[in-house]
Each structure stands twice: as structure tokens, then as C-alpha cells.
Amino acid sequence: MKPALKIITYLSLVLFILTSISCSSSEKNTTSNSLPKSIPFQLKLKSIPKELKGEMISISLKFYFCPVPTDKECYSPVLQQSHRFNHPIHSSADQITFVEEFPKEWTHLSIQIEGIEKIYGKYSPGHNPFWIQNTESLTKNPNIKQEFTFVSQENLIPNRKQEELANQFSPILVFHKDKKYLPTNIEKYANFFQSKEYTLPAKDIRRKTKGQTRWNYVDFPDLKETEKQTHLYYHVRYAKSTVSGTQETALPGFRDNGNYWYEVGNGDMVISYWIWSDWNEGPTKFGNIHQGDLESYALLISKDGKPKRILLTGHDHILLDTDFRNINSLKNHPILYVAKGNMGSDGGNPTSAYGGYTVKLHAGNALFNYISDPWDVFPSFHPETSILILPKNLTEKDLTSVKIGSGIRKSPLVPSLNSSQNGSEEDTRFVDARSMVKGRIERLVAWEEPGWVGQTADKDPDGHHKVDPKLSSFFRYQGRLGKHPRSDLRIGELHQYGESPENAPFKTNIEQHYTFESPKTERSHTDREGNYGPKFLGDDSTPQK
């Protein structure tokens, strides 16, 4: 081919490619901007609670341009409009229709009912706000219809059944013998309950999503040396539960922990537990010190009461999510190990389903990390080095021969574990634990739905929501429990103060419990040396009857 002809051919090819790209781009732009300028809305309210009769309700529309939802700078609406119902609510159903002009560029639209504060935490209208994305399906059908159906947020599982299940699966807690801060109870602080406010950190996403600049905390007095009985807090609910803001179409950070609803689904249930400690000293003497601590775990239970999976959380992560047969238990009570720290520290109290191992942590500061070398140090199940806090229904006879290990002759290896941790028969041992008993879980406390505390029930099968007066303030409270509401690095003291815990049961951690997130296969926090994942794989013979 002659040079001139080659040049003409290449130029033609380049021109063809550029034309194709231009056409493709034009098509995409046409698609994204092919919505009509105005779109009709038809929004219905159903099963409106009687508390809202006579209230003036409005609809808030917020348009966002967020091509990359993780970019916090896009969280300011590009357009905001409000439409008020032209009459007070007067029946159990109502609707509003209007036509709205859309901005030229947008990716997400939130539709929120406003003026329903009276029933917040008692009745949920579903996802509020309800989210819509600018997709091709909207272009094909340019009108928006949505029904907001109010449902009671009461727990439909009878109290007696909840208490029975909570007792059946309460934990056997294992501690180092010299552990200082053993679990106690929240009730002893009832007379000191006083809510205060603190300024949210600049990076807190609630500043962007909700316009919040301040949040709540309770400043408890220093350690009380009396009333140290161990109480265990629990909540039993159907596994098919949803929290507003967890739609796939929603922008991250709009989760509303006070707006949730339950469905029976396949009948599976979740038991969530919280263990309260008065103090968290952190994994070393230098770091993560804070008042108050709520460590938690949850069990997925079949409708006939059989344990299926266990989930443990800590350090703002899911530490373990695994089959119940992959841990040791005694008469359905999971054996959980509570960590101490390194260099003489009492530890940060995270729980593990396995003992006798360590996990390297990060101090959050290079200097502190180098000086302190923080670790979670989990105790072994051994009479000479560890102590137990037990459920009340376990007897001395039950403790004469406690199985530790999978009990399987040829247990499958867990990836990344060496042969000494594979749960084979030679690694399984039976321990006489009678001398290890330090105390008992004196009381199990059901965590009541905050919006219904002390009120006559609507749908609840027990007909009431009676609550111990010492607990009612805590059940209603949204905020942090302790005098350290935010992280505080004090170089002069060589101390890192962490955050006191968010109040249970509706923590802000998006993956806190099975309750609001579907269980997943074998997930654990594994990005640290000595990860929290399974140390053996069990079978039906592993749980000890």
C-alpha cells in the first residue's frame, strides 16, 4: 500500500471511531436527559395511625447529583421542593398528586413524608425517604407512584417465647483470671441518667445526610463498686426485618435506625445479645480508653428453635459470621471468650468463639502503634488461667466434661490455619470447668421497642409494653452511653480515648446484627494478623448436648 493511501486509510478509520464514540455519547446523553421536563407524582398513604388524624402532612422532594455515591461532596441537593397536603389527615387513607419539574442533571431522588413525628418509632411508613434513581426504566415510564403503608413497629413474638429463647442461647463467658472489668449492668446508673450533647466530628456523614451537627451522650459517674451483678440484654425478632435507608437505590448514610419494620418471612428468628461493661481500657494502656462498653453477638434461629448461625461484632466490624456447628457450645449455650489487652492492659472486651489466640490491632496513630503494639489476647478454656460467668440454668454436673474443639476425627482444614488448629480429634479436649466458675448471669433483660415503652399495645400479642422504670430512659435513648462521646488523642498523656458505645439495640454500624442484614456465608474480619475467623469446622456432633 502506498504511503499516501495508508494515511488516508488511517484517517478514515480514526474518523469512523471518533464518529462512533460521538454517536454513542450522544445516545447516552439523550437517554439520561430524555425525561420530560415535568413528571406527575401520585403518592398514597395507607393504614394511617389515629395519632396522625388532624395533622398537616407534607412531602419533601430532594434531587441529588451523585455519579459516585461515596463522594460526600455530592450530598447537597441540587433541587429541593415541598408539597403540602391541602387538608388535615382525617381518614386511614389519603393521597396527594402533583406535577414536578425535574432538574437537568440528577442521579437520586428522595421522597420523604414530613409531619409524622408523633408516630416516629411506633409506626413505620416503610422506607422514608423512599429513593428513586435516574434510570432507563423511569425514562420509559415517566410517572412516579408510591404507596406509604404504615405498620406497627411492635415485636410480634410473644414475650414468653422471647424469654425462653434468650435463656436457651445465653452465653458461657470466658475471661482471663486477672480480668478487672467483668460485665455488670446498666440499671445501677438509672438515678444518674442525664443526657448531654456533643459536637459531631467534621467527617461524620450525618452532617451531610441529615444536617446534624450535634448528637447525644450520657455522662455516667465513675465506676460504681456496688451493684455489680451481671445482666444480659437481649432482643428476639423475626429475621426478615428492614431498616429505612437500606434500599439498593438509596444514597449511603441515610439509614434511619428508628424507622424499621418486621415481617414473619420463613419464620426464622434472630436473638441479639448485648453485654455491658462499665469501662473499656483498650488493647494497651495507651489506647481506646472509654467509659461504658456494649459488646454484642447474635444467633440466627429456625422457626422450630434450632440454631443455624452465629455472628459476633467488635471494633466496629463483624468479627465472625459462621455456622453454629463451627463453634463450641454446651446445651446450646455458646462458649465465648472475652479478650484482654497487651502490656498489662485489661483489654477492649471484644468476644470470640475461640480461645487461646491473639489478633494484632492498630492504635490509630503510628507513634502509639509502635510504642504499644496493641493486641486482642483471648484466654484459653483452662482452670488454671481462666474464669467463667455462666447462665443460671447450667449446673456443676454440666461442667464436669466440657468439649473444646470440633470432636471430629478428620475435620476439614480451615484455609489459612496451620495443622495444630484444624480441629482434629487429637486437638479436641474435655475440661472439668467446675472450679472456673466466677459468677452467674443474674438477670436477662428484654430490650423493648423504644417508641412503645410503657404504652398499651396495638398489635403486640402480650397486650402491653411494661418496662422496669430503671430501664425506660435507656430504652428510649438515642446516643452514646458514657462520658467519652468522641475519639480524643492526647499526646501529652500518651492516651487515646475512644468513643463510648452507641445505645443498643439500634446501633449506627450498618452491619451490626442479622436483624437488619441477611446472614452471609463465612464472613469475618480477617485483615489483621491472627484473624477472628473459624479455627475449626464442625458438624452435627460438635455442639455438646
Side-chain angles (χ1 to χ4, degrees):
M1 185 181 292
K2 294 181 180 179
L5 188 57
K6 275 187 180 180
I7 292 171
I8 292 171
T9 303
Y10 288 146
L11 286 174
S12 300
L13 182 60
V14 169
L15 183 61
F16 173 76
I17 292 171
L18 289 174
T19 304
S20 299
I21 292 173
S22 175
C23 290
S24 174
S25 175
S26 175
E27 282 180 16
K28 286 182 180 177
N29 287 335
T30 302
T31 301
S32 64
N33 292 308
S34 58
L35 283 169
K37 189 176 181 181
S38 299
I39 290 182
F41 283 71
Q42 184 178 8
L43 307 177
K44 295 182 179 180
L45 308 184
K46 289 190 172 182
S47 303
I48 301 172
K50 60 184 179 182
E51 290 95 326
L52 291 180
K53 302 295 174 62
E55 295 294 311
M56 293 298 296
I57 291 176
S58 61
I59 300 293
S60 172
L61 304 180
K62 293 181 181 179
F63 295 87
Y64 299 86
F65 184 64
C66 281
V68 181
T70 54
D71 182 2
K72 294 180 185 178
E73 296 307 314
C74 69
Y75 276 60
S76 297
V78 294
L79 178 65
Q80 185 170 343
Q81 299 285 13
S82 182
H83 295 268
R84 182 180 290 273
F85 281 69
N86 58 13
H87 58 270
I89 296 296
H90 52 75
S91 69
S92 62
D94 212 327
Q95 70 177 18
I96 183 171
T97 58
F98 54 86
V99 176
E100 181 60 59
E101 289 194 5
F102 277 40
K104 185 176 181 181
E105 285 191 312
W106 66 280
T107 57
H108 297 74
L109 163 63
S110 71
I111 306 172
Q112 183 164 4
I113 312 172
E114 296 186 336
I116 59 173
E117 291 79 11
K118 278 189 175 181
I119 53 89
Y120 181 75
K122 291 184 65 179
Y123 294 91
S124 168
H127 287 289
N128 188 38
F130 181 81
W131 288 87
I132 291 174
Q133 287 187 2
N134 189 359
T135 61
E136 189 176 346
S137 61
L138 183 61
T139 304
K140 291 179 178 177
N141 184 24
N143 63 81
I144 292 174
K145 297 180 179 181
Q146 170 61 14
E147 290 184 355
F148 292 96
T149 302
F150 291 85
V151 295
S152 172
Q153 294 178 231
E154 293 165 288
N155 195 332
L156 300 180
I157 302 173
N159 290 351
R160 181 177 295 180
K161 185 173 184 179
Q162 292 185 51
E163 186 175 1
E164 180 183 302
L165 287 169
N167 273 296
Q168 186 178 351
F169 296 99
S170 56
I172 298 168
L173 298 173
V174 187
F175 304 87
H176 284 272
K177 269 193 170 180
D178 56 352
K179 189 90 167 80
K180 287 191 296 187
Y181 303 117
L182 298 176
T184 63
N185 64 86
I186 295 175
E187 292 93 314
K188 65 177 179 290
Y189 292 111
N191 294 333
F192 303 96
F193 187 94
Q194 185 178 0
S195 182
K196 299 182 178 181
E197 288 189 343
Y198 70 99
T199 302
L200 285 173
K203 65 180 180 180
D204 195 299
I205 197 170
R206 286 172 289 186
R207 285 179 170 269
K208 293 285 186 183
T209 61
K210 299 179 181 180
Q212 275 184 242
T213 58
R214 301 182 69 77
W215 190 229
N216 312 310
Y217 76 102
V218 178
D219 185 349
F220 294 129
D222 287 333
L223 296 175
K224 289 172 62 65
E225 295 302 319
T226 59
E227 302 176 72
K228 285 193 169 185
Q229 299 90 346
T230 298
H231 295 177
L232 184 67
Y233 305 89
Y234 71 89
H235 194 278
V236 185
R237 62 192 83 184
Y238 287 114
K240 187 173 174 56
S241 302
T242 310
V243 177
S244 180
T246 56
Q247 285 175 280
E248 288 186 10
T249 51
L251 284 173
F254 284 89
R255 171 178 171 140
D256 183 352
N257 294 313
N259 183 26
Y260 54 90
W261 58 98
Y262 305 135
E263 298 173 57
V264 176
N266 65 359
D268 281 0
M269 293 166 286
V270 166
I271 314 172
S272 296
Y273 294 93
W274 294 270
I275 304 162
W276 169 264
S277 297
D278 295 324
W279 195 254
N280 179 317
E281 191 171 275
T284 74
K285 293 286 189 179
F286 300 99
N288 203 37
I289 301 162
H290 59 80
Q291 188 181 50
D293 209 12
L294 274 171
E295 298 296 344
S296 58
Y297 75 99
L299 288 164
L300 179 67
I301 307 293
S302 68
K303 63 181 179 181
D304 55 353
K306 299 287 175 37
K308 297 171 74 172
R309 297 187 71 80
I310 185 168
L311 175 146
L312 293 99
T313 65
H315 304 307
D316 290 327
H317 297 284
I318 289 176
L319 301 185
L320 177 72
D321 176 356
T322 194
D323 193 300
F324 190 77
R325 297 171 299 179
N326 292 341
I327 70 163
N328 285 126
S329 59
L330 175 59
K331 291 190 169 182
N332 283 320
H333 299 286
I335 299 174
L336 303 181
Y337 301 79
V338 181
K340 264 183 62 66
N342 197 19
M343 300 176 68
S345 168
D346 197 57
N349 308 319
T351 55
S352 172
Y354 310 96
Y357 78 106
T358 59
V359 178
K360 185 173 177 57
L361 302 175
H362 305 294
N365 173 280
L367 175 62
F368 280 18
N369 211 51
Y370 175 77
I371 295 173
S372 60
D373 190 25
W375 292 79
D376 277 338
V377 182
F378 291 99
S380 296
F381 198 97
H382 196 288
E384 293 183 7
T385 59
S386 298
I387 57 175
L388 305 178
I389 292 181
L390 298 174
K392 273 191 166 182
N393 62 350
L394 288 179
T395 67
E396 281 203 359
K397 184 179 177 181
D398 296 324
L399 302 174
T400 55
S401 185
V402 180
K403 182 196 294 182
I404 303 298
S406 73
I408 302 173
R409 181 178 293 276
K410 292 184 179 180
S411 175
L413 290 175
V414 178
S416 81
L417 295 179
N418 60 42
S419 59
S420 66
Q421 294 175 308
N422 67 13
S424 61
E425 187 182 48
E426 56 267 31
D427 294 323
T428 300
R429 54 197 176 89
F430 291 84
V431 179
D432 184 342
R434 288 176 292 179
S435 65
M436 298 172 66
V437 179
K438 172 71 173 178
R440 300 276 179 168
I441 297 171
E442 295 296 330
R443 185 182 175 197
L444 267 70
V445 179
W447 215 288
E448 178 60 87
E449 308 298 330
W452 285 97
V453 167
Q455 299 192 35
T456 302
D458 181 0
K459 305 294 184 185
D460 189 287
D462 297 293
H464 61 80
H465 296 282
K466 294 178 182 176
V467 168
D468 182 339
K470 287 187 175 182
L471 288 162
S472 59
S473 294
F474 293 102
F475 289 171
R476 293 191 185 102
Y477 187 65
Q478 293 189 56
R480 295 191 174 275
L481 299 177
K483 66 171 65 175
H484 303 107
R486 56 181 294 173
S487 295
D488 182 11
L489 179 61
R490 302 182 188 178
I491 297 290
E493 296 180 21
L494 281 182
H495 275 160
Q496 167 77 46
Y497 288 89
E499 299 170 330
S500 293
E502 283 282 349
N503 194 18
F506 309 111
K507 291 188 174 185
T508 55
N509 184 345
I510 199 165
E511 284 196 302
Q512 190 64 29
H513 293 288
Y514 283 127
T515 311
F516 300 136
E517 306 293 331
S518 298
K520 299 176 182 177
T521 302
E522 298 312 317
R523 54 182 175 173
S524 64
H525 194 55
T526 58
D527 69 340
R528 295 168 178 173
E529 182 182 335
N531 73 76
Y532 301 92
K535 302 297 181 276
F536 60 76
L537 300 182
D539 64 10
D540 288 335
S541 70
T542 302
Q544 190 171 350
K545 306 302 181 188

